[in-house]
């Protein structure tokens, strides 16, 4: 589903946020990108969402090389990925329902079908009763769940989340992670950037530890090494189609 | 994946029919844009008022020219000319001449203004009455006001003028209609100037609406960024702004129509009074149905043009960070 081949991202100032990164995530996996602040987690996710383009190397998502996605095709490309942000990025001038419906409206769904799907998504994050409320009347945790509902309402196969629990207390964080887990259980590939190590340990998912834009050299865990070896043997993007 | 999703959307659209779905989508965007304008009435009204004034200016100029053309069209028939008789001509001779000429088939009527009448009229009109009392003799000649028959052509009239000018009693033939031609030349210039002014004001409307939309886009920058992140195309994001432009244009056009109609009705009484002074009655010509419809239509077109340029230019620059 996600394949990074020797990816480097150098910003205009010359700073390299990602350096020669090789990594991959299989279809149906739930994986955490971990690392200190500034390690390059957000940049990695932004490369996946085509918000940034790699300076060199290849980012291949679901068989599509992001370098070859033209400007005019970016919207269609982004519509196949569900995105959750630390600051929710909700639209505060409209009720919860409209926020969640937005991806469906963009995709051209009719009102009835959109309404059905929005309610299903709100039900899945436990906010069915709050569809008429404005986002600012909700707690941070609820707002984050609205963001998740919006990300999954169009049933993407890939869900990426940048520090989705960054502003939440441990209980709420665990609740949000359980929601992600449930989507993962029905086949959605989930990639979450987080530095909340104790929480990740509780969930027992694979980690991609970053350090200064590179894969962190593992101490005792060899799983990551195996993974890199795995990725190296891949001949082309066909496997990911 | 993209294919599956599009297929799903198409399937959803098929249930209601793609055209209906498309219409519903546009209708809801249009209503949404209108709602946004209504929710900030002061700002919207201000913009609409400026547009209305800008549209009303060329429309009223057009009306002024149109009315002037109709009024001066009535003067075209004013082909009367004056025959000033030689100073020595007696009143009797003048009366005889008037009789003879008046019988001609190519002349509708002849009116004699005697030298005495002319002096009396001049005294009354000029205000030199007392000074003129000291004159020992009347310096003014007898005059014949000749109105050619309504069947005359330009050619026959000039022939007639020549013939009457050659009469032994005639001193000078004076044509009174040159100023009508001058007036037409002025109208023509005004008309051209009006077209230029209309073009400039049209550009002004585009700029006004473009600027309003630009500010609107700046205020909604975050929203646009988020929507782009979710996968909205430039066209999708631009659509509500285009409808805003359309609404501004329509509102401005309708208000311009109201302003022009109001102005026209306010002028009706004084124009009637003026026409009365000339012994006429004149009904001001107002905008035809087609012209009335074209003002809001032009407004909408300019609104669309303004919002299109602004939205297309500024939309591209807003990319999610
Ligand atoms: N647009 C940018 N221009 C320059 N440097 C940037 C930009 N975005 C991120 N960086 C730098 O790249 C590094 C990695 O950032 P980021 O991916 O946000 O890290 P993380 O999300 O792990 O905290 C940071 O040092 C940051 O300052
Ligand atoms: Mg970050």
């Amino acid at each position: 589903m996600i394949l990074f081949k020797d990816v480097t991202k150098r910003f205009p100032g010359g700073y390299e946020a990602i350096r020669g990164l090789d990594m991959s995530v299989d279809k149906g996996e739930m994986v955490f990108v971990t690392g200190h602040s500034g390690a390059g987690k957000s940049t990695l996710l932004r490369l996946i969402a085509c918000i940034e383009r790699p300076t060199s190397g290849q980012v291949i998502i679901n068989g599509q090389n992001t370098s070859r996605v033209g400007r005019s095709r970016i919207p269609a490309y982004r519509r196949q990925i569900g995105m959750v942000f630390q600051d929710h990025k909700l639209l505060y001038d409209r009720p919860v329902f409209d926020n969640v419906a937005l991806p469906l409206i963009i995709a051209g769904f009719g009102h009835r079908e959109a309404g059905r799907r929005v309610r299903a998504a709100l039900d899945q994050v436990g906010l069915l009763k709050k569809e008429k409320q404005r986002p600012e009347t909700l707690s941070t945790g609820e707002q984050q769940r609205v963001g998740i509902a919006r990300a999954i309402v169009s049933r993407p196969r890939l869900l990426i989340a940048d520090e989705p629990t960054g502003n939440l207390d441990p209980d709420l964080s665990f609740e949000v992670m359980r929601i992600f887990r449930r989507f993962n259980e029905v086949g959605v590939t989930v990639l979450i950037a987080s530095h909340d190590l104790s929480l990740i340990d509780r969930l027992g998912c694979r980690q991609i530890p970053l350090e200064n834009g590179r894969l962190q050299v593992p101490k005792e865990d060899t799983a990551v090494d195996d993974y890199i070896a795995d990725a190296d043997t891949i001949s082309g993007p066909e496997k990911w189609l | 994946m993209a294919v599956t999703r599009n297929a799903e959307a198409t399937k959803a659209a098929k249930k209601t029919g793609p055209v209906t779905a498309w219409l519903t989508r546009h209708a809801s965007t249009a209503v949404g844009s209108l709602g946004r304008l209504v929710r900030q009435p002061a700002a919207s009204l201000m913009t609409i008022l400026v547009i209305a004034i800008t549209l009303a200016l060329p429309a009223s100029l057009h009306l002024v020219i149109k009315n002037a053309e109709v009024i001066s069209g009535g003067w075209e028939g004013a082909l009367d000319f004056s025959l000033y008789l030689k100073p020595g001509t007696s009143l009797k001779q003048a009366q005889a001449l008037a009789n003879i000429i008046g019988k001609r088939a190519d002349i509708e009527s002849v009116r004699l203004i005697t030298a005495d009448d002319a002096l009396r009229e001049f005294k009354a009109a000029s205000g030199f009455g007392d000074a003129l009392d000291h004159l020992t003799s009347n310096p003014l000649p007898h005059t014949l006001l000749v109105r050619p028959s309504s069947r005359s052509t330009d050619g026959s009239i000039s022939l007639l003028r020549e013939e009457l000018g050659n009469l032994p009693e005639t001193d000078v033939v004076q044509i009174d209609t040159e100023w009508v031609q001058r007036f037409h030349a002025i109208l023509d210039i005004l008309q051209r100037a009006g077209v230029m002014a209309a073009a400039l004001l049209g550009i002004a409307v585009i700029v006004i609406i473009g600027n309003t939309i630009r500010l609107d886009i700046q205020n909604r920058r975050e929203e646009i960024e988020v929507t782009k992140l979710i996968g909205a195309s430039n066209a999708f994001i631009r659509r509500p702004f285009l409808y805003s432009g359309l609404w501004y244009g329509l509102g401005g056009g309708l208000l311009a129509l109201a302003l022009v109609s109001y102005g026209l009705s306010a002028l009706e009484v004084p124009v009637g009074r003026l026409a009365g002074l000339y012994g006429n009655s004149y009904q001001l010509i107002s905008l035809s149905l087609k012209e009335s419809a074209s003002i809001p239509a032009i407004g909408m077109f300019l609104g669309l043009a303004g919002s299109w340029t602004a939205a297309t230019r500024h939309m591209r620059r807003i990319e999610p960070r």
Side-chain angles (χ1 to χ4, degrees):
Chain A
M1 182 60 87
I2 300 174
L3 176 64
F4 274 54
K5 279 205 232 167
D6 194 19
V7 173
T8 296
K9 175 64 196 178
R10 189 180 303 116
F11 282 109
Y15 185 81
E16 289 183 350
I18 299 282
R19 308 168 199 206
L21 180 67
D22 285 299
M23 70 96 174
S24 69
V25 176
D26 272 335
K27 228 166 225 169
E29 263 195 295
M30 175 149 163
V31 179
F32 282 89
V33 180
T34 57
H36 298 291
S37 164
K41 304 182 295 292
S42 295
T43 306
L44 189 149
L45 294 189
R46 290 157 68 83
L47 284 166
I48 294 173
C50 240
I51 301 167
E52 306 283 0
R53 308 278 196 150
T55 312
S56 68
Q58 293 176 347
V59 176
I60 294 161
I61 308 298
N62 198 39
Q64 294 157 281
N65 188 334
T66 58
S67 304
R68 298 213 193 100
V69 176
R71 255 183 99 105
S72 60
R73 283 196 41 235
I74 286 184
Y77 170 86
R78 283 194 190 136
R79 273 180 249 145
Q80 36 173 5
I81 301 170
M83 271 183 267
V84 177
F85 312 91
Q86 179 173 6
D87 56 353
H88 327 311
K89 293 207 192 295
L90 301 178
L91 302 179
Y92 290 90
D93 63 344
R94 59 198 79 184
V96 166
F97 182 95
D98 292 14
N99 267 280
V100 177
L102 194 55
L104 299 177
I105 306 283
I106 292 171
F109 277 86
H111 271 286
R112 198 169 309 154
E113 176 69 6
R116 214 175 52 70
R117 290 192 179 208
V118 169
R119 297 218 168 76
L122 283 174
D123 192 27
Q124 280 170 304
V125 298
L127 285 176
L128 199 47
K129 291 203 185 80
K130 312 230 165 173
E131 63 169 35
K132 291 203 180 69
Q133 289 192 28
R134 302 232 159 209
E136 68 260 24
T137 66
L138 301 180
S139 70
T140 327
E142 287 170 329
Q143 288 187 31
Q144 190 55 283
R145 272 144 62 195
V146 174
I148 295 171
R150 184 181 66 185
I152 54 97
V153 73
S154 49
R155 300 175 190 164
R157 302 283 191 72
L158 173 60
L159 193 58
I160 60 178
D162 194 358
E163 316 235 12
T165 60
N167 296 329
L168 305 181
D169 63 45
D171 284 346
L172 282 175
S173 299
F174 192 66
E175 176 56 31
V176 164
M177 288 305 179
R178 278 210 359 235
I179 294 174
F180 282 118
R181 182 97 245 185
R182 277 209 302 277
F183 289 119
N184 177 242
E185 277 159 11
V186 296
V188 179
T189 310
V190 181
L191 183 66
I192 302 170
S194 174
H195 54 234
D196 194 347
L197 289 174
S198 61
L199 182 64
I200 297 164
D201 284 344
R202 260 169 92 187
L203 288 157
C205 294
R206 179 162 76 89
Q207 296 180 26
I208 298 175
L210 286 183
E211 195 175 283
N212 295 323
R214 290 195 182 85
L215 280 184
Q216 193 179 25
V217 186
K219 286 146 218 157
E220 57 256 44
D221 188 352
T222 52
V224 175
D225 269 340
D226 292 343
Y227 219 85
I228 296 169
D230 228 29
D232 280 341
T233 59
I234 292 156
S235 51
E238 295 91 301
K239 187 183 168 192
W240 311 93
L241 279 169
Chain B
M1 247 181 338
V3 177
T4 342
R5 279 180 38 81
N6 280 341
E8 275 184 86
T10 318
K11 220 181 352 174
K14 267 202 187 113
K15 267 186 215 155
T16 44
V19 177
T20 322
W22 184 87
L23 279 178
T24 327
R25 217 171 323 136
H26 271 263
S28 73
T29 313
V31 171
S33 295
L34 186 60
R36 213 168 256 284
L37 299 193
V38 171
R39 257 174 277 139
Q40 22 183 306
S44 306
L45 276 182
M46 203 86 99
T47 309
I48 286 173
L49 185 64
V50 174
I51 296 166
I53 292 169
T54 319
L55 287 174
L57 283 172
S60 349
L61 184 60
H62 171 73
L63 265 187
V64 166
I65 293 173
K66 204 168 134 182
N67 274 285
E69 265 174 350
V70 170
I71 293 169
S72 68
W75 298 333
E76 295 270 37
L79 297 161
D80 304 10
F81 54 91
S82 310
L83 228 56
Y84 293 98
L85 304 182
K86 289 203 174 117
T89 317
S90 72
L91 181 60
K92 260 208 185 110
Q93 283 171 312
Q95 276 165 341
L97 189 63
N99 261 328
I100 296 164
I101 298 175
K103 289 201 179 99
R104 292 179 58 131
D106 53 356
I107 283 176
E108 194 177 298
S109 67
V110 175
R111 205 175 112 223
L112 170 66
I113 298 168
T114 65
D116 289 345
D117 285 345
L119 185 63
R120 212 172 302 124
E121 207 175 295
F122 182 67
K123 269 184 186 166
S126 67
F128 291 129
D130 294 342
L132 294 172
D133 280 342
H134 298 295
L135 286 174
T136 50
S137 67
N138 185 350
L140 297 174
H142 300 303
T143 309
L144 297 182
L145 271 184
V146 179
R147 169 161 296 177
S149 92
S150 52
R151 287 187 303 278
S152 322
T153 62
D154 279 354
S156 72
I157 288 171
S158 54
L159 271 178
L160 178 66
R161 274 191 212 129
E162 209 180 312
E163 198 180 322
L164 297 185
N166 287 335
L167 291 174
E169 295 91 339
T170 307
D171 190 6
V172 181
V173 176
Q174 189 184 303
I175 307 155
D176 300 330
T177 53
E178 259 166 35
W179 67 274
V180 174
Q181 274 142 23
R182 283 192 204 123
F183 187 77
H184 274 234
I186 291 170
L187 269 192
D188 192 43
I189 292 170
L190 263 183
Q191 198 150 28
R192 278 156 208 259
V195 170
M196 282 190 268
L200 287 178
L201 290 170
I203 293 171
V205 171
I206 291 181
V207 171
I208 292 164
I209 294 182
N211 201 43
T212 310
I213 298 293
R214 181 181 64 83
L215 288 175
D216 201 14
I217 289 173
Q218 267 166 17
N219 287 337
R220 293 168 69 184
R221 190 191 177 99
E222 243 184 73
E223 179 188 339
I224 292 171
E225 278 178 16
V226 171
T227 326
K228 278 199 172 184
L229 270 179
I230 299 174
S233 61
N234 278 330
F236 177 89
I237 299 170
R238 190 169 47 200
R239 203 175 299 148
F241 294 105
L242 296 187
Y243 274 107
S244 298
L246 214 57
W247 289 125
Y248 279 132
L250 178 65
L254 290 176
L255 189 56
L257 202 58
L259 288 178
V260 171
S261 308
Y262 175 76
L264 212 60
S265 69
L267 284 179
E268 208 128 285
V269 171
V271 165
R273 207 181 302 137
L274 180 67
L277 290 177
Y278 282 93
N280 276 320
S281 72
Y282 181 70
Q283 185 73 46
L284 271 178
I285 296 176
S286 61
L287 293 168
S288 69
L289 197 66
K290 213 164 120 193
E291 286 167 331
S292 303
S294 71
I295 294 181
I298 289 172
M300 282 169 91
F301 170 77
L302 295 175
L304 198 57
S307 52
W308 183 281
T309 17
T312 307
R313 257 202 28 233
H314 298 283
M315 204 65 67
R316 289 222 186 91
R317 276 195 230 139
I318 301 179
E319 282 299 335
R321 280 162 300 176

